[in-house]
Amino acid sequence: MTGYSERVVVVGNGMAGARVAAELHARGDDLKVTVLGAEPHPAYNRIMLSTLLTGKIGEADVELAEVVGRGVDLRTGVTVSAIDRATGQVRTTDGDRIRYDHLVLATGSQAVVPALPGLDPGRLPARVVPFRTLDDCRRILALAATARRALVLGGGLLGLEAARGLALRGLDVGVVHRVPYLMDRQLDPTAGAILAGTLADLGVTTHLAVEPTAVHADAAGVRLDLADGRSLDADLLVLACGVRPDTALATAAGLAVDRGVLVDDRLRTSDPRISAIGDCAEHDGTLTGLVAPAWAQARVVAQVVTGQDPLARFRPRPSVTRLKASGIDLAAMGDPTSGPGEELTFADPARGTYARLRIHDERLAAAILLGDNPAVGTVIQLFDRGHPVPSDRRALLLGRAIGGAVTASAPSPALMPDAAVVCQCNSVSKGALVRCWRDGARTVDAVVAGTRAGTGCGGCRDAVAGIVDWLSKTDPVEVGR
């Protein structure tokens, strides 16, 4: 195969690194793949840590079931200290030198620790924990077991998921956010205000448009001082202040780095023998930070490195943000606050419902859907596939039945076209789920294992279960055959 690399080293065993190893393993029978993961655990689904925090799942449920078989040498608890591009080797902190024909950087990102008096990024107080890794989650759970009050610094997606998880464990939770409204990167002020009201009903207090000025922590608890003169006391402070691409290895090796490691359409860095994917990579001026593009990048790298498709290119698709918090249904896509086109809005704060759509050239350019809206699946499909919107705009805005437009949220999967994408993270269609069923998968877990649907953010799991249930009742294939 043209361009075939015999020895591939993957630095990072997170969601991107584990996926690229599995993609390489599936394509290269004689390929020798070495995966070096700094964390001591098997690869796990970082997105599901917020669900682990609620207690609804256990640690075994967040492990990734990626293929690690013949030809894949997985080494956990191994930190790479340097890349020697001249000799084609990586060096580890335990003194090993590992040769590569091609190197894949999947070093991810690190939690941002704000520059506040009382916070040393190298040695955080025992009761102050970032929310990024499995070990972070373990520490938060250990502290929460004896805590009554918790504070979360950061009102973005991850901070709200952490806050809701702790509230479900019975803690009195407060969220401190510098911006006047929550999830300011995805929402507008009205949606943010309605979301704050929903959270208040669920036991989460929000403190908005206020700067933290200092942290005081000792064995007894944590105090967060605010610029308006108030001080908030808690037993636990969770930091959810964003992430920063981990580019230290790439920078030290002399690779081109801006905010992330710069890559082209084939995910190659400034050194063609080195690729970068996932959170650490910057493609066309954009950082991903989401699982779906990282997994798409992993597939492209595997196609190029193995020679299966040397011309493969990464083409980012529109992303959809879903808030995974019990009692809250939120989907946001695009930027509804700016750009050309017609705009439609509907707000019912008393019921925690809000919808805002921006339509341009008969296509959905952006949307916010908060609260119970039966059209959310249709809206996501239209945004993702770029299909024309129906003439009855109110159907999308208010969730009324839409003639001819059906999705995973339709009353019956029978109405869904086979091309409808059920799992956005892995691009799994309804047709793929049906084929997997007819090939012998007879349970939700079997269909998930056969298609990877539901193994990303987990937001489509109910839809997958609904389709499996529908198939079990209507498909002529005999169960148990």
Side-chain angles (χ1 to χ4, degrees):
M1 291 184 289
T2 304
Y4 185 82
S5 296
E6 182 180 352
R7 293 169 299 195
V8 180
V9 173
V10 180
V11 181
N13 188 40
M15 297 184 75
R19 177 56 68 93
V20 76
E23 295 280 1
L24 288 164
H25 176 268
R27 289 170 172 80
D29 291 338
D30 299 324
L31 199 64
K32 296 186 175 89
V33 181
T34 302
V35 182
L36 306 174
E39 293 186 72
H41 327 289
Y44 59 89
N45 188 331
R46 198 180 306 276
I47 301 172
M48 298 303 292
L49 291 181
S50 56
T51 309
L52 178 62
L53 200 60
T54 68
K56 292 184 176 181
I57 61 174
E59 284 195 9
D61 299 308
V62 303
E63 287 188 12
L64 289 175
E66 299 291 4
V67 176
V68 179
R70 183 173 58 86
V72 177
D73 178 14
L74 172 61
R75 308 183 193 180
T76 57
V78 175
T79 301
V80 174
S81 57
I83 301 167
D84 189 336
R85 292 166 54 195
T87 62
Q89 295 180 328
V90 296
R91 295 197 299 270
T92 67
T93 52
D94 55 11
D96 280 354
R97 288 177 172 264
I98 303 168
R99 294 184 60 193
Y100 65 83
D101 296 314
H102 196 89
L103 179 66
V104 181
L105 297 179
T107 50
S109 54
Q110 296 180 337
V112 171
V113 176
L116 291 173
L119 291 186
D120 177 359
R123 191 177 180 181
L124 289 174
R127 292 182 177 272
V128 178
V129 189
F131 187 32
R132 178 64 182 163
T133 68
L134 178 58
D135 284 339
D136 293 337
C137 194
R138 287 172 173 172
R139 288 181 58 202
I140 292 170
L141 289 172
L143 289 166
T146 57
R148 293 185 300 106
R149 297 167 300 174
L151 288 172
V152 177
L153 185 54
L157 183 69
L158 191 62
L160 298 187
E161 290 178 352
R164 181 62 180 133
L166 291 170
L168 282 171
R169 289 183 171 271
L171 276 69
D172 179 7
V173 182
V175 174
V176 176
H177 194 48
R178 293 182 170 94
V179 182
Y181 60 99
L182 298 170
M183 290 184 63
D184 50 283
R185 292 187 178 182
Q186 294 87 15
L187 305 184
D188 60 22
T190 303
I194 294 175
L195 178 57
T198 300
L199 285 166
D201 292 339
L202 296 172
V204 177
T205 303
T206 53
H207 307 273
L208 303 174
V210 62
E211 289 278 348
T213 57
V215 174
H216 308 271
D218 55 28
V222 181
R223 188 179 83 237
L224 182 65
D225 294 341
L226 304 179
D228 60 9
R230 290 180 297 153
S231 292
L232 304 176
D233 295 315
D235 305 302
L236 162 67
L237 173 63
V238 176
L239 302 179
C241 305
V243 296
R244 182 180 297 113
D246 190 342
T247 60
L249 269 179
T251 300
L255 300 176
V257 173
D258 189 9
R259 293 182 299 158
V261 184
L262 299 180
V263 296
D264 61 14
D265 288 351
R266 296 186 193 178
L267 289 315
R268 298 174 302 185
T269 68
S270 52
D271 182 336
R273 295 177 64 194
I274 303 177
S275 300
I277 63 172
D279 285 8
C280 71
E282 181 179 344
H283 172 263
D284 197 22
T286 301
L287 300 169
T288 63
L290 298 171
V291 64
W295 283 354
Q297 290 174 351
R299 183 168 57 253
V300 170
V301 167
Q303 290 171 326
V304 171
V305 169
T306 63
Q308 182 188 61
D309 183 4
L311 300 180
R313 297 289 188 274
F314 172 63
R315 292 290 182 262
R317 298 178 64 181
S319 60
V320 178
T321 298
R322 300 296 299 266
L323 176 59
K324 300 177 301 302
S326 178
I328 304 173
D329 192 359
L330 170 64
M333 57 215 81
D335 182 2
T337 63
S338 64
E342 60 180 297
E343 185 175 302
L344 300 89
T345 60
F346 171 79
D348 186 353
R351 291 178 173 81
T353 302
Y354 180 75
R356 180 172 181 174
L357 309 177
R358 183 164 58 82
I359 298 169
H360 180 57
D361 289 340
E362 295 301 305
R363 265 57 175 186
L364 187 65
I368 299 171
L369 294 175
L370 173 61
D372 184 20
N373 189 321
V376 63
T378 297
V379 170
I380 291 173
Q381 289 287 330
L382 291 171
F383 178 75
D384 183 65
R385 301 176 72 84
H387 287 173
V389 299
S391 57
D392 183 2
R393 310 293 206 242
R394 294 170 300 173
L396 291 178
L397 192 66
L398 304 177
R400 294 166 49 191
I402 302 170
V406 287
T407 66
S409 66
S412 171
L415 300 177
M416 294 173 60
D418 282 349
V421 178
V422 178
C423 175
Q424 302 290 326
C425 295
N426 286 293
S427 299
V428 181
S429 66
K430 174 209 168 182
L433 296 173
V434 172
R435 287 191 297 273
C436 185
W437 165 272
R438 290 178 175 166
D439 286 342
R442 293 292 179 264
T443 65
V444 173
D445 288 343
V447 170
V448 167
T451 63
R452 284 179 168 159
T455 61
C457 71
C460 66
R461 186 83 180 203
D462 288 345
V464 174
I467 291 172
V468 170
D469 181 64
W470 165 70
L471 287 168
S472 68
K473 296 173 180 175
T474 63
D475 195 73
V477 176
E478 294 181 9
V479 179
R481 182 174 64 181

